Amino acid sequence: MNETPMDASRNTPRPVGPIIEIADMHKWYGDFHVLQEINLQVQAGERIVICGPSGSGKSTLIRCINRLEEHQRGRILVDGIELTNDIKNIEKIRMEVGMVFQHFNLFPHLTILENLTLGPIWVRKTPKKEAEETAMMFLEKVHIAEQAKKFPGQLSGGQQQRVAIARSLCMKPKVMLFDEPTSALDPEMVKEVLDVMINLAEEGMTMLVVTHEMGFAKSVAHRVMFMDFGQIVEENNPHDFFENPSHERTRLFLSQILN
Amino acid sequence: MTRPTPAPQHTGDMKPPVSEVGVLGWMRKNLFNTWYNSLLTVLILFGLWQVVPPLVRWAFIDSLWNSSSEACRDIDGACWSIIPANIKFILFGFFPEGQDWRPITAIILLLALVYYSKDRRHWTRTLAVLWPIGLAVMATLMYGGVFGMPIVETAQWSGLPLTLMLALFGMVAAYPLGVILALGRRSRMPAIKALCVVYIELIRGVPLISVLFMSSVMFPLFLPEGVTIDKILRAQVAIILFTAAYIAEVVRGGLQAMARGQYEAADSLGLKYGQAMRLIILPQALKIVIPPSMGILISAFKDTSLVVIIALYDILKTTQVSLSNPKWMGYSTEAYIFLAVFYFLCCFAMSSFSRKLERDLHTGR
């Protein structure tokens, strides 16, 4: 019986076991085997950084977790619910999994505040006033409350990405996925976004982060994973991962990225 | 206009040479900058001199605005009198004498409805209720049969109310239908997709005239004995179905222009398909396609004049009929200029509304 009502499951202590469980998962784009035999368990509160060369499947992997991409073999369970073609389950999982995109993907026709309240009002059925209060609270948290009435197009990239993080947080997700959140930013804006993410980590959010910010990985991650050619090549705690990588490919990648 | 501080020493404060500024400078730069441009300027000025003064004389100086047809025979200028003399027939056609207040009220109602719908703050669910109610009230006003109004058969509906009703209700109904067709064409469900593709391609594959013919001549043949559907209603439906197919393709273009990230962001928040479309995708996609949609609506407005061929008397036809009166024969130029001004004003209002809408919906970037 996975069918516990949403609110009950939020209030009761989390059931023992991983919040994300991926077992023997494969994915193909046509004939191209983009993800091969992925096994991954994420505990609640765990922070995982995924790195790897472009085209290695790291983005595809986290996009499978909220079904922006469909996997063809194996199982993905999020919060005890299996991802299948059942749209009800997909919607349930998407409510609990927040996602931050490389290109922010804010809704340009809505104000910042409306961007933040849209999900809570329409998906979680939160009353508008309450949703706005929560939104303002999160905007304060990402230091951008004074921009609430503006449109996304009037903000800088770093500000937009912080809004995007706040938008996901407004849904009170159990897991946050970050798909290269700083790659599209000008260098001087990377820090403001990383600071927000570090704060989030300190509050105990479960995070899966695809990034090339190795400094962030070192200081925040519990585990760092290296992916190449659709496989998880290596996975370790940050200290051992950076000091003592066991695979040649990892070593090569790290030497390239860290100069 | 003296400066309190001494002028700075750098050249930034220098004025451009006189030949570059003012009317003379502008003319020199834009009209006489080379010998062939100078030649063209002179030729065009000569052409305008040949055309404009006689035109002004014909239209305004030698013209008559409100006279009998006999008085018009003696002048060289335009005989605008044909319009006021026939205005009742041009506007209301065969609508029975003494009942003019009914189409007048209907038109005022319709224009009020349009005016109310112009304001974006009124775009709520009320609007979706107001338009059908407006249609019903107008139909009642025109048809009569209640409150002591004598019945006027739809065959007698003509002139301005017919044109406006066909055009406005055609547009208002075709737009949402077109949006639904566009979404259907992008549907992942093969049956729905196929249905929409077939519909859109079939309708776009034939001229409006043939759709109107089908609706007026062929369609009644398929109806069971004794069942008749009103001719104006059939024409109205034909116009709606025709326009919707074109709207659908324009809207589909807008949907395709949307970045995939918008769909993904909506999905990742857990929005359902309907919510994502209504709240995220359509508001942006429809905004992108405002200019081409308005183009289609404008041409739909003008195309209502094609109902002439199924013997409906819209404002174009009533004007033509007035011209066939021997008293007013020969003044077709004036009558058609009047019609052109009428159509231009309507279309210009539509296009300036669409430009205003674009400005209002602009949210930076």
Side-chain angles (χ1 to χ4, degrees):
Chain A
M1 286 296 278
N2 290 329
E3 292 286 329
T4 48
M6 260 333 138
D7 290 317
S9 71
R10 288 181 76 80
N11 295 333
T12 49
R14 209 182 293 294
V16 208
I19 189 158
I20 297 174
E21 198 174 353
I22 302 176
D24 191 27
M25 190 264 277
H26 292 254
K27 172 168 180 60
W28 288 265
Y29 284 132
D31 281 341
F32 177 52
H33 201 169
V34 58
L35 290 178
Q36 306 173 20
E37 211 193 328
I38 303 292
N39 288 291
L40 175 66
Q41 298 207 335
V42 184
Q43 305 298 325
E46 214 179 354
R47 299 185 288 274
I48 298 179
V49 165
I50 305 169
C51 59
S54 70
S56 60
K58 52 197 191 310
S59 285
T60 313
L61 170 60
I62 67 165
R63 288 159 59 87
C64 281
I65 294 172
N66 67 351
R67 196 64 164 198
L68 289 183
E69 305 282 352
E70 198 177 324
H71 62 282
Q72 278 103 20
R73 245 182 70 185
R75 276 153 59 88
I76 301 179
L77 276 88
V78 181
D79 204 22
I81 305 171
E82 179 163 9
L83 269 174
T84 57
N85 279 326
D86 184 350
I87 187 76
K88 284 269 170 305
N89 279 353
I90 295 174
E91 278 162 7
K92 249 185 234 170
I93 287 172
R94 282 175 178 166
M95 265 198 235
E96 306 300 336
V97 178
M99 185 153 200
V100 175
F101 299 89
Q102 182 178 358
H103 296 289
F104 333 133
N105 296 351
L106 294 177
F107 305 130
H109 63 301
L110 301 177
T111 63
I112 301 304
L113 189 62
E114 287 166 338
N115 265 277
L116 266 65
T117 54
L118 187 103
I121 288 174
W122 292 92
V123 181
R124 286 227 187 266
K125 312 288 180 207
T126 316
K128 188 172 177 218
K129 196 155 181 324
E130 194 187 321
E132 282 179 351
E133 280 162 11
T134 315
M136 287 312 294
M137 194 263 284
F138 279 113
L139 281 180
E140 304 269 359
K141 217 163 148 176
V142 299
H143 317 297
I144 214 160
E146 69 283 1
Q147 318 272 21
K149 295 277 176 249
K150 289 193 181 171
F151 287 97
Q154 297 164 312
L155 268 54
S156 75
Q159 290 173 323
Q160 288 193 48
Q161 192 61 298
R162 285 185 279 150
V163 171
I165 294 173
R167 177 175 70 178
S168 291
L169 292 177
C170 280
M171 286 293 286
K172 308 266 172 72
K174 294 179 180 167
V175 180
M176 286 283 286
L177 307 175
F178 293 84
D179 189 0
E180 306 206 26
T182 55
S183 305
L185 295 176
D186 291 336
E188 75 270 22
M189 295 172 182
V190 170
K191 188 172 177 296
E192 64 187 56
V193 171
L194 287 181
D195 285 347
V196 167
M197 290 169 64
I198 290 169
N199 273 337
L200 198 57
E202 281 163 0
E203 287 168 13
M205 176 61 79
T206 313
M207 296 163 74
L208 270 82
V209 185
V210 171
T211 187
H212 293 135
E213 295 293 332
M214 290 303 130
F216 175 81
K218 276 179 197 166
S219 62
V220 170
H222 294 124
R223 270 195 282 166
V224 183
M225 282 170 35
F226 173 69
M227 286 186 72
D228 203 4
F229 296 109
Q231 290 166 318
I232 300 176
V233 175
E234 179 159 359
E235 160 176 7
N236 216 330
N237 65 62
H239 180 266
D240 291 341
F241 182 88
F242 289 109
E243 299 306 320
N244 195 12
S246 50
H247 284 78
E248 185 52 37
R249 276 192 280 175
T250 317
R251 223 167 286 155
L252 189 66
F253 176 75
L254 286 178
S255 70
Q256 281 164 347
I257 202 162
L258 300 171
N259 313 310
Chain B
M1 295 293 148
T2 48
R3 285 165 168 275
T5 50
Q9 286 307 299
H10 61 77
T11 54
D13 204 44
M14 275 171 65
K15 294 243 170 8
V18 181
S19 64
E20 292 294 314
V21 295
V23 180
L24 275 177
W26 182 89
M27 280 173 65
R28 218 171 123 160
K29 205 167 145 198
N30 293 290
L31 301 179
F32 299 99
N33 54 345
T34 56
W35 69 265
Y36 47 87
N37 278 354
S38 307
L39 185 68
L40 276 177
T41 304
V42 170
L43 278 177
I44 288 169
L45 283 177
F46 179 74
L48 287 176
W49 177 247
Q50 290 292 302
V51 173
V52 174
L55 191 69
V56 169
R57 169 162 305 168
W58 176 81
F60 298 107
I61 297 170
D62 293 345
S63 61
L64 282 173
W65 292 79
N66 201 355
S67 64
S68 65
S69 58
E70 289 76 29
C72 279
R73 303 286 168 205
D74 303 328
I75 57 160
D76 294 330
C79 177
W80 300 113
S81 311
I82 180 175
I83 305 302
N86 294 293
I87 193 72
K88 251 174 84 172
F89 186 78
I90 291 175
L91 291 185
F92 307 123
F94 302 107
F95 213 82
E97 199 72 22
Q99 298 287 325
D100 296 342
W101 66 272
R102 282 158 61 181
I104 291 175
T105 318
I107 290 171
I108 290 173
L109 248 174
L110 188 56
L111 294 181
L113 202 51
V114 170
Y115 189 78
Y116 180 82
S117 312
K118 241 177 64 161
D119 193 332
R120 219 152 43 84
R121 278 166 305 181
H122 296 154
W123 291 4
T124 53
R125 235 160 258 171
T126 13
L127 219 52
V129 182
L130 272 182
W131 273 88
I133 292 178
L135 179 62
V137 172
M138 283 167 54
T140 316
L141 264 175
M142 295 288 285
Y143 189 75
V146 284
F147 307 122
M149 293 186 290
I151 289 179
V152 179
E153 290 297 333
T154 54
Q156 289 169 283
W157 297 11
S158 35
L160 184 62
L162 181 65
T163 294
L164 288 182
M165 281 171 91
L166 285 177
L168 285 168
F169 287 105
M171 291 185 238
V172 169
Y175 197 76
L177 181 60
V179 171
I180 292 170
L181 282 167
L183 291 176
R185 191 168 182 169
R186 283 169 63 83
S187 168
R188 283 202 207 124
M189 286 174 264
I192 290 178
K193 182 177 178 156
L195 205 69
C196 292
V197 171
V198 167
Y199 173 84
I200 292 168
E201 295 307 332
L202 266 185
I203 294 280
R204 291 203 311 163
V206 291
L208 177 58
I209 292 188
S210 63
V211 179
L212 285 170
F213 260 129
M214 270 191 270
S215 77
S216 82
V217 183
M218 279 168 59
F219 181 67
L221 298 179
F222 300 124
L223 288 176
E225 197 84 24
V227 176
T228 53
I229 295 178
D230 184 76
K231 191 159 136 188
I232 290 184
L233 187 60
R234 277 183 275 140
Q236 177 79 77
V237 170
I239 289 172
I240 291 172
L241 295 182
F242 187 83
T243 310
Y246 284 84
I247 293 282
E249 283 300 272
V250 164
V251 171
R252 189 168 68 96
L255 290 173
Q256 274 168 352
M258 294 283 300
R260 205 165 125 228
Q262 292 291 309
Y263 291 90
E264 291 179 349
D267 281 347
S268 72
L269 282 177
L271 291 171
K272 295 182 196 313
Y273 172 81
Q275 293 174 330
M277 285 299 149
R278 189 159 51 90
L279 301 167
I280 308 297
I281 305 301
L282 282 177
Q284 296 182 62
L286 295 183
K287 187 182 112 186
I288 300 174
V289 297
I290 287 173
S293 320
M294 197 45 88
I296 288 171
L297 294 182
I298 284 175
S299 84
F301 177 77
K302 291 180 293 181
D303 284 351
T304 54
S305 57
L306 289 174
V307 295
V308 162
I309 59 132
I310 55 170
L312 291 179
Y313 283 71
D314 76 326
I315 195 166
L316 176 67
K317 189 64 184 171
T318 53
T319 309
Q320 283 178 330
V321 169
S322 308
L323 283 171
S324 62
N325 178 343
K327 263 170 77 180
W328 295 104
M329 245 177 218
Y331 298 115
S332 52
T333 315
E334 290 87 340
Y336 285 125
I337 287 177
F338 165 75
L339 272 183
V341 169
F342 163 73
Y343 276 104
F344 173 78
L345 287 179
C346 293
C347 296
F348 185 73
M350 287 163 76
S351 82
S352 36
F353 173 64
S354 93
R355 264 176 288 139
K356 177 178 175 298
L357 204 55
E358 272 184 84
R359 268 200 312 276
D360 288 356
L361 293 175
H362 187 69
T363 56
R365 196 183 326 198

